[in-house]
């Protein structure tokens, strides 16, 4: 069992869990994830490690409650426990010094972006961070990111905070200005966002790294359920990723495969809802 | 009874038949197919053993079970005595009695098989092992030697790891098993379906190991959570048995359509996670109407019989050679056929065709015929010109095999590997790193439960010698 030390709500349906997992905390590097089950009978789901404190033996997980499994994970209060936490899995982020980099986060992806952006800043990069969300209440970690970013740009779809629009609008300003143009772009968020960013940087030949979150079972390369097409070849996100060259990723196939169980899950949710009303 | 039986009387007894669940009933549930023998049936079958002096059956057993001895006690009605012999030789007898290919091992060597049918050693092993589980109190706890103070880490809680752990604990060593998944058993739990090996059997075999003082830590991925180097500094010796968990891809178009699974994914969802068979499970699985399973081994049979139980109208084996070349056990093929599985042999998959919305819809097949023998001695399948057709399939399961998973070996540069990524080891399991031993599928590639157990047993003896300075390390 892995004790939950803290469980804070950062945004609607978005929780920050601090979990005691000393071995994971000691081994973890930016970009890696853990497989989590809240209790017996639950699905195994991958969650990127947002941060780790090896001295305290804790890791931080940012969890967006969107399905049955994530809802049950965020329902575990401080003092409770998660039954299973296995990791750190996946390859760590390749950190180098590109001079200037742009780090782009969308929704809960901003939490995944945070350790990566910080590692890039620590490696001497000048980091421009762009974070986006539907409205102000979905913008998370802005102070934490601002602490090491040369500039922090915020976009919201309704204009309730920062610039009205999408992260791609803010990125456009950087790409078109030779004085601001990044040597590499890191994008973490919903698939349509990562795809849009990759399409935007492609004609400029700017290296673009995306962090993928396909359906996963074991997280150790055993089942291949998380396969994604990168450069025309099947790669396993759990062991070859989760970060890949955004210009090589087949986003259409990724989007499609992510929808595999949507109908089953919707039916399951209906059944649960039905049960609760009885 | 047995002592008074003449040879002629023994030879006159016909081989016992295993009672099976009705094929129509069982093809829609996950209950164990083989129901086991009654005590009367078991004792009678044990009397078929003529106690020949050269004991070829023992040579046929990868873990060297004292077969004539445990059969003799069983025939005499001394179940406790029989159980002590069996459990002393075999760490997982209730598992082996169910999943071992006895027909190619112990039973293949049985002298009764020369003229007639061999003694049903596998059924009897299962009977005695099940009796031992149900009568653990009567058997008493095994006496353990004093602790040696030495500690061994076992990587992987599958058949090789469990066997090695039991053998080492019985020699007084402290053993900790590290398992990457959230539960014990390795392939026994995620790979072998409930209808062949009930999970309860695994739980009870593991519980017996825990009674020997073995510790199991789940959710520890060696190579990620901890490295081999870290284990080396914390333990006196290591046994690496992390399996061959990496599916081979078909490398045909359409492999990334929705509805296309590797056998590992399909079986893990159902067996380990309970998808489709446990109402409490929240893990989903696609219930195909027409399920095509590609391959002809035991894993393919497990997948196709699972598909049938999940409600497939057509559950089909698609295999490019003929039935005679199938590596699956005869019993598995027989059971699958009884359950309504279709065997489309001499069919090679060419492409998985989608429905235009990303879902698998057809498996495009090439009819084959058998040509001259290839390197493996099996007749090589060659395409029949122009004989292509589309087989309706909304779920396609790839059961063509697995390779070595590089997760652990990639972080242990001193560990010598062969060209397929399997760990190099000598016949006792010693690797290129002193004190580190290996066995099971990470050494052999895709193999069987019992050969993995044999590796575990041999490596445990070698580790014991290494730790105590006896014999060649």
């Amino acid at each position: 069992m892995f004790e939950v030390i803290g469980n804070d709500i950062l945004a609607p349906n978005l929780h920050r869990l601090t979990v005691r997992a000393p071995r994971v905390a000691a081994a973890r590097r930016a970009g890696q994830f853990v497989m989590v089950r809240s209790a017996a009978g639950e699905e195994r789901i991958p969650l990127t490690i947002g941060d780790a404190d090896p001295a305290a033996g804790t890791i931080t997980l940012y969890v967006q409650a969107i399905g049955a499994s994530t809802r049950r994970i965020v329902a575990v209060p401080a003092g409770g426990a998660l039954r299973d936490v296995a990791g750190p899995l996946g390859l760590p982020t390749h950190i180098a010094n590109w001079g200037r980099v742009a780090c782009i986060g969308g929704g809960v992806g901003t939490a995944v972006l945070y350790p990566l952006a910080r590692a890039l800043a620590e490696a001497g990069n000048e980091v421009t961070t762009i974070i986006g969300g539907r409205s102000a209440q979905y913008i998370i970690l802005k102070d934490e990111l601002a602490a090491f970013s040369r500039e922090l740009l915020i976009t919201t779809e309704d204009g309730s905070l920062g610039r009205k629009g999408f992260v791609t609008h803010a990125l456009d300003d950087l790409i078109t200005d030779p004085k601001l143009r990044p040597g590499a772009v890191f994008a973490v968020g919903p698939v349509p966002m990562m795809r849009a960013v990759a399409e935007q940087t492609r004609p400029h030949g700017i290296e673009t790294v995306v962090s993928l979150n396909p359906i996963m079972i074991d997280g150790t390369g055993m089942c291949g359920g998380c396969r994604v097409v990168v450069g025309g070849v099947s790669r396993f996100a759990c062991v070859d990723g989760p970060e890949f060259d955004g210009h090589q990723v087949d986003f259409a196939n990724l989007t499609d495969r992510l929808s595999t169980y949507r109908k089953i899950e919707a039916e399951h949710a209906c059944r649960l809802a039905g049960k609760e009303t009885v | 009874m047995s002592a008074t039986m003449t040879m002629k009387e023994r030879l006159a007894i016909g081989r016992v038949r295993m009672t099976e669940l009705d094929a129509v009933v069982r093809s829609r549930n996950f209950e164990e197919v083989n129901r086991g023998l009654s005590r009367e049936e078991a004792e009678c079958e044990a009397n078929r053993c003529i106690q020949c002096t050269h004991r070829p059956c023992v040579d046929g057993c990868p873990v060297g079970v004292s077969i004539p001895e445990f059969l003799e006690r069983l025939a005499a009605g001394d179940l406790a005595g029989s159980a002590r012999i069996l459990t002393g030789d075999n760490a997982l007898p209730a598992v082996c009695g169910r999943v071992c290919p006895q027909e190619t091992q112990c039973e293949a060597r049985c002298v009764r098989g020369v003229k007639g049918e061999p003694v049903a050693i596998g059924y009897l092993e299962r009977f005695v092992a099940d009796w031992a589980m149900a009568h653990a109190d009567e058997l008493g706890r095994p006496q353990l030697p004093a602790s040696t103070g030495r500690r061994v880490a076992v990587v992987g809680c599958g058949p090789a790891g469990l066997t090695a752990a039991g053998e080492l604990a019985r020699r007084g060593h402290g053993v900790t098993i590290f398992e990457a998944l959230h539960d014990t058993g390795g392939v026994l739990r995620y790979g072998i379906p409930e209808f062949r090996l009930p999970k309860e059997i695994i739980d009870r075999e593991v519980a017996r190991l825990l009674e020997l003082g073995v510790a199991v830590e789940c959710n520890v991925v060696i190579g990620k959570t901890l490295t081999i180097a870290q284990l080396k500094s914390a333990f006196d010796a290591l046994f690496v048995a992390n399996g061959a968990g990496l599916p081979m891809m078909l490398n045909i178009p359409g492999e990334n359509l929705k509805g296309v699974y590797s056998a590992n994914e399909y079986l893990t969802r159902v067996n380990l996670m309970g998808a489709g068979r446990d109402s409490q499970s929240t893990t989903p699985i696609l219930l195909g109407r027409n399920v095509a399973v590609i391959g002809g081994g035991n894993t393919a049979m497990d997948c196709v019989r699972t598909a049938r139980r999940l409600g497939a109208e057509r559950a089909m084996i698609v295999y490019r050679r003929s039935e005679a070349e199938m590596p699956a056990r005869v019993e598995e093929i027989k059971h699958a056929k009884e359950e309504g599985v279709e065997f489309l042999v001499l069919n090679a998959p060419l492409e998985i065709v989608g429905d235009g919305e990303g879902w698998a819809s057809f498996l495009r097949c090439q009819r084959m015929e058998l040509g001259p023998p290839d390197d493996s001695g099996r007749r090589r399948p060659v395409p029949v010109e122009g004989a292509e057709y589309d087989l309706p399939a909304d779920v396609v399961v790839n059961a063509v095999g697995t390779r070595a998973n590089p997760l652990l070996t990639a972080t242990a540069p001193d560990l010598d590997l062969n060209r397929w990524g399997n760990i190099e080891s000598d016949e006792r399991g010693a690797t290129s790193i002193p004190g580190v031993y290996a066995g099971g599928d990470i050494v052999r590639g895709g193999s069987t439960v019992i050969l993995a157990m044999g590796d575990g047993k041999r490596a445990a003896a070698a580790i014991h010698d290494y730790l105590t300075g006896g014999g060649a390390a």
Side-chain angles (χ1 to χ4, degrees):
Chain A
M1 299 294 268
F2 297 80
E3 191 190 350
V4 174
I5 311 287
N7 183 340
D8 319 308
I9 301 174
L10 297 190
N13 290 326
L14 179 58
H15 290 237
R16 172 167 53 201
L17 270 68
T18 310
V19 180
R20 191 177 300 288
R23 285 177 179 149
V24 180
R28 164 267 178 193
R29 286 160 66 196
Q32 292 186 296
F33 65 93
V34 283
M35 295 301 300
V36 176
R37 285 202 320 166
S38 56
E42 293 293 325
E43 206 173 347
R44 292 167 64 93
I45 60 160
L47 293 170
T48 303
I49 305 165
D51 207 345
D53 183 341
T58 60
I59 57 171
T60 308
L61 302 174
Y62 295 87
V63 192
Q64 189 171 25
I66 41 168
S69 306
T70 45
R71 273 200 296 274
R72 270 185 284 262
I73 289 170
V74 302
V76 178
L82 300 171
R83 189 190 185 281
D84 303 296
V85 176
L89 299 166
L91 299 176
T93 306
H94 172 63
I95 302 293
N97 194 336
W98 282 270
R100 258 197 311 268
V101 296
C103 291
I104 306 170
V108 70
T110 304
V112 177
L113 180 76
Y114 168 67
L116 200 159
R118 194 176 61 186
L120 288 163
E122 283 165 2
N125 290 285
E126 187 186 289
V127 178
T128 301
T129 303
I130 306 171
I131 53 178
R134 275 188 359 235
S135 62
Q137 58 181 340
Y138 292 97
I139 298 299
I140 58 169
L141 299 174
K142 62 181 194 315
D143 296 337
E144 288 88 341
L145 284 160
F148 55 76
S149 299
R150 183 194 67 86
E151 191 181 6
L152 177 78
L153 305 168
I154 296 172
T155 65
T156 51
E157 289 171 37
D158 64 0
S160 54
L161 186 66
R163 177 172 173 176
K164 186 173 185 331
F166 295 98
V167 292
T168 42
H169 297 140
L171 177 62
D172 201 44
D173 294 348
L174 301 184
I175 290 177
T176 51
D177 185 342
K179 291 195 294 292
L180 297 175
R181 188 184 158 121
V185 171
F186 293 79
V188 192
V191 175
M193 183 208 93
M194 293 190 285
R195 183 181 199 166
V197 167
E199 287 314 317
Q200 200 178 356
T201 56
R202 189 194 304 276
H204 301 277
I206 299 170
E207 185 176 345
T208 299
V209 177
V210 293
S211 179
L212 307 184
N213 193 7
I215 295 168
M216 234 177 241
I217 308 294
D218 62 284
T220 65
M222 192 180 88
C223 86
C226 66
R227 60 193 183 273
V228 288
V229 179
V230 182
V233 179
S234 279
R235 307 287 300 277
F236 293 181
C238 66
V239 290
D240 302 323
E243 291 166 14
F244 292 101
D245 176 351
H247 296 153
Q248 301 285 323
V249 171
D250 182 342
F251 285 106
N253 185 251
L254 174 65
T255 305
D256 201 34
R257 287 183 63 80
L258 279 168
S259 74
T260 303
Y261 300 107
R262 206 155 282 162
K263 194 162 158 243
I264 294 175
E265 274 156 7
E267 284 165 4
H268 183 73
C270 285
R271 273 207 312 280
L272 285 183
K275 230 184 258 173
E276 278 158 17
T277 58
V278 171
Chain B
M1 172 179 166
S2 62
T4 60
M5 199 175 268
T6 65
M7 181 65 79
K8 196 174 172 188
E9 285 169 328
R10 288 179 198 278
L11 293 174
I13 307 169
R15 180 175 157 121
V16 70
R17 298 281 160 241
M18 174 61 77
T19 306
E20 295 167 353
L21 214 55
D22 175 77
V24 176
V25 173
R26 75 183 192 233
S27 67
R28 289 290 183 259
N29 68 38
F30 282 87
E31 281 177 47
E32 191 173 16
V33 172
N34 286 348
R35 307 312 289 173
L37 304 182
S38 69
R39 180 166 181 168
E40 291 69 32
E41 286 172 322
E43 288 184 7
C44 180
E45 180 67 21
N47 271 308
R48 292 186 66 232
C49 173
I50 59 168
Q51 297 288 323
C52 63
T53 50
H54 60 302
R55 303 152 51 83
C57 53
V58 181
D59 296 331
C61 175
V63 296
V65 169
S66 308
I67 294 165
E69 285 78 4
F70 98 80
L71 294 188
E72 190 276 328
R73 285 293 83 206
L74 172 59
D78 175 14
L79 288 168
S82 182
R84 281 193 195 96
I85 295 167
L86 178 60
T87 56
D89 287 338
N90 186 337
L92 309 168
V95 172
C96 292
R98 287 172 168 80
V99 305
C100 258
Q102 290 95 7
E103 66 279 5
T104 62
Q105 297 175 5
C106 52
E107 294 182 18
R109 311 279 186 98
C110 177
V111 294
R112 295 274 331 240
V114 178
K115 271 200 220 166
E117 291 189 281
V119 175
I121 300 167
Y123 296 169
L124 296 177
E125 178 178 39
R126 170 186 161 149
F127 173 80
V128 174
D130 287 357
W131 184 91
M133 273 187 183
H135 299 81
D137 294 345
E138 274 177 59
L139 288 169
R141 284 189 175 199
Q143 287 293 310
L144 290 180
S147 167
T148 62
R150 297 309 191 98
R151 299 182 67 227
V152 183
V154 172
V155 181
C157 196
L162 288 169
T163 303
E167 296 284 331
L168 289 161
R170 282 179 223 246
R171 289 174 167 93
H173 305 300
V175 182
T176 302
I177 302 178
F178 294 101
E179 166 58 45
L181 292 172
H182 59 256
D183 208 343
T184 55
V187 72
L188 302 176
R189 192 178 300 271
Y190 77 73
I192 301 180
E194 181 79 12
F195 53 84
R196 279 216 293 140
L197 178 62
K199 306 289 170 269
E200 193 200 343
I201 301 288
I202 308 166
D203 290 338
R204 295 175 83 154
E205 299 266 39
V206 171
R208 246 169 10 101
L209 279 183
L210 298 181
E211 278 180 18
L212 295 174
V214 172
V216 180
E217 290 199 41
C218 289
N219 294 312
V220 182
V221 187
I222 304 304
K224 291 290 183 183
T225 314
L226 297 171
T227 61
I228 288 290
Q230 283 173 304
L231 290 185
K232 275 279 287 172
S233 61
F235 291 87
D236 299 302
L238 266 56
F239 179 59
V240 178
N242 59 330
L246 189 77
M248 288 201 268
M249 291 282 122
L250 294 165
N251 295 315
I252 60 174
E255 196 160 18
N256 292 315
L257 290 165
K258 291 170 289 184
V260 183
Y261 289 105
S262 73
N264 268 1
E265 180 179 1
Y266 193 69
L267 293 174
T268 298
R269 282 181 180 273
V270 179
N271 297 341
L272 176 70
M273 308 307 296
R277 66 175 179 90
D278 178 353
S279 61
Q280 301 297 307
S281 169
T282 57
T283 300
I285 182 122
L286 297 173
L287 307 173
R289 211 164 151 188
N290 299 301
V291 180
V293 177
I294 300 167
N298 288 323
T299 305
M301 298 305 143
D302 286 344
C303 291
V304 79
R305 296 174 70 197
T306 296
R308 191 86 179 107
R309 283 158 174 79
L310 292 176
E313 287 168 25
R314 293 186 76 188
M316 301 166 280
I317 285 285
V318 176
Y319 183 56
R320 66 196 189 100
R321 299 177 190 257
S322 77
E323 194 176 315
E325 285 84 24
M326 278 192 181
R329 292 185 68 191
V330 173
E331 182 181 64
E332 305 308 323
I333 295 171
K334 170 182 156 284
H335 281 165
K337 284 185 175 170
E338 288 168 357
E339 290 161 11
V341 169
E342 295 170 56
F343 281 67
L344 307 178
V345 298
L346 291 168
N347 278 284
L350 294 177
E351 178 180 355
I352 302 156
V353 183
D355 67 350
E357 290 176 12
W359 297 92
S361 173
F362 292 97
L363 181 64
R364 185 157 295 158
C365 295
Q366 164 75 58
R367 285 194 213 280
M368 312 291 279
E369 58 190 4
L370 289 179
D374 63 10
D375 294 344
S376 71
R378 298 185 294 182
R379 291 182 65 190
R380 196 165 64 87
V382 291
V384 178
E385 194 99 11
E388 289 178 18
Y389 69 102
D390 284 347
L391 180 70
D394 49 353
V395 166
V396 175
V397 182
N398 158 17
V400 298
T402 56
R403 293 183 288 137
N405 187 320
L407 206 64
L408 177 149
T409 51
T411 61
D414 299 340
L415 206 53
D416 285 354
L417 308 178
N418 68 15
R419 55 195 273 231
W420 298 283
N422 298 104
I423 297 175
E424 293 267 19
S425 70
D426 70 12
E427 69 282 358
R428 298 191 82 201
T431 69
S432 54
I433 306 177
V436 178
Y437 294 75
D441 276 0
I442 190 63
V443 169
R444 296 176 175 275
S447 183
T448 61
V449 167
I450 187 67
L451 288 175
M453 291 178 59
D455 290 350
K457 194 167 178 173
R458 274 189 302 280
I463 290 169
H464 177 74
D465 290 345
Y466 171 79
L467 293 176
T468 57

